[in-house]
Amino acid sequence: MVCDKIIDGKKISADIKEEIKKETTELKDSTGIIPGLAFIIVGENPASKVYVRSKGKACDELGFYSDTRMLPSSASEAELLSMIISLNEDENIHGILVQLPLPEHINEEKIIEAISFVKDVDGFHPQNVGRLAIGSKGFLPCTPYGIIELLKRSKVETKGKNAVIIGRSNIVGKPVAGLMLRKEINSTVTVCHSATRDIAEVTSSADIIIAAIGKAEFLKADMIKEGCVIIDVGINRIEDALAKNGYRITGDVDFNSCLEKCSKITPVPGGVGPMTIAMLMKNTICSAQGLIYG
Ligand code: GUN
């Protein structure tokens, strides 16, 4: 049955959030600690506001404390840095998330490095990036972490399999490649990017394909092997005259053509997307429990 092939990210993320909710109650009952997550938004980016609102809603659902701070787009780098420093010292806060992108006059790298790595629940700080690379404990970036959970909970065999990642971003491609190489996953990993000579040649021998290239419906059925597993990280808006608002959201995979040929696939929406927030919550509860840095 075709429906059995679809990896339901909504359901899996709901299961994870239910587990976190229980852990939150246990933590509160045994220690009085309430997981606390701070969000900072600089400027008026509407998408950033939507993302932060849904992360805040997840905090409410799970019994976390959350604190959203808004700065105008005219805010200086120094103002943002001093806000981060006060949150680094705030013992009610276990995770700090500065929503990206930042206005152009603010140096993103400097801001990420100012967040204490023990509260870096986004997993973007070089300390956590380095720990991922050498396989030691640290915060994992939420989307790659969510992809690994999707594969594990969908019982996808990864050991010795050819995993092909399309895209080499710092947020998805590179970290997910590092995770797929870990001993407990044990895949053989290839990363394709804009200078790869023949992506279709590489993907056609892949057992697992992770598409994170940011191009609508890039991966077609004639580029894949029968029975492969496809994880679609893309979120693209494409014009659709038949849709109510004139557009629809689609992934980096041509879902309809690949569905027949693959053994498992994530839909867009409802695949990787909901997992990102679930893993942000997971990182925050782990931080509050002292499970990452003690
Ligand atoms: N902007 C888009 N996605 C993310 C994310 O996961 N974390 C942060 N901090 N900013 C984002």
Side-chain angles (χ1 to χ4, degrees), residues 2-212:
V2 151
C3 286
D4 292 344
K5 293 184 174 187
I6 297 175
I7 298 177
D8 187 349
K10 254 188 173 162
K11 163 84 173 68
I12 295 173
S13 66
D15 291 346
I16 293 171
K17 285 198 279 187
E18 208 44 55
E19 292 161 19
I20 299 171
K21 195 171 174 178
K22 281 200 193 106
E23 285 182 57
T24 304
T25 307
E26 281 165 20
L27 182 68
K28 260 187 229 176
D29 291 348
S30 60
T31 65
I33 296 171
I34 298 171
L37 181 50
F39 303 101
I40 305 178
I41 309 186
V42 187
E44 299 298 324
N45 185 325
S48 290
K49 287 186 178 175
V50 171
Y51 285 136
V52 169
R53 210 174 303 132
S54 48
K55 290 168 188 172
K57 219 176 105 204
C59 288
D60 295 343
E61 283 168 18
L62 303 189
F64 287 15
Y65 162 70
S66 73
D67 178 354
T68 301
R69 303 195 181 183
M70 313 268 220
L71 285 171
S73 55
S74 59
S76 66
E77 195 173 270
E79 275 175 89
L80 178 55
L81 284 170
S82 84
M83 191 174 269
I84 292 170
I85 289 162
S86 79
L87 290 167
N88 282 344
E89 287 163 2
D90 186 338
E91 58 184 34
N92 295 315
I93 295 296
H94 305 94
I96 302 169
L97 184 148
V98 177
Q99 189 67 24
L100 304 176
L102 290 168
E104 278 197 1
H105 66 279
I106 297 180
N107 181 334
E108 210 165 274
E109 236 175 84
K110 198 166 162 187
I111 296 305
I112 290 171
E113 288 187 33
I115 298 170
S116 165
F117 67 87
V118 308
K119 296 190 179 186
D120 168 41
V121 286
D122 255 332
F124 293 167
H125 191 287
Q127 174 78 228
N128 287 310
V129 175
R131 283 170 178 255
L132 187 159
I134 60 171
S136 62
K137 210 195 261 182
F139 289 113
L140 300 179
C142 304
T143 301
Y145 191 7
I147 292 169
I148 299 298
E149 281 299 310
L150 278 181
L151 292 171
K152 280 187 182 165
R153 290 179 188 238
S154 307
K155 310 232 170 344
V156 172
E157 177 62 81
T158 53
K159 185 178 170 188
K161 300 293 181 186
N162 286 332
V164 170
I165 296 148
I166 315 174
R168 58 173 157 186
S169 71
N170 288 337
I171 293 183
V172 183
K174 281 183 212 152
V176 85
L179 292 175
M180 295 298 288
L181 275 176
R182 282 193 167 175
K183 287 263 169 66
E184 74 263 24
I185 304 292
N186 250 339
S187 292
T188 301
V189 179
T190 307
V191 182
C192 297
H193 49 79
S194 53
T196 300
R197 256 185 265 145
D198 188 346
I199 294 184
E201 190 197 355
V202 182
T203 53
S204 57
S205 62
D207 302 303
I208 300 167
I209 302 174
I210 300 172

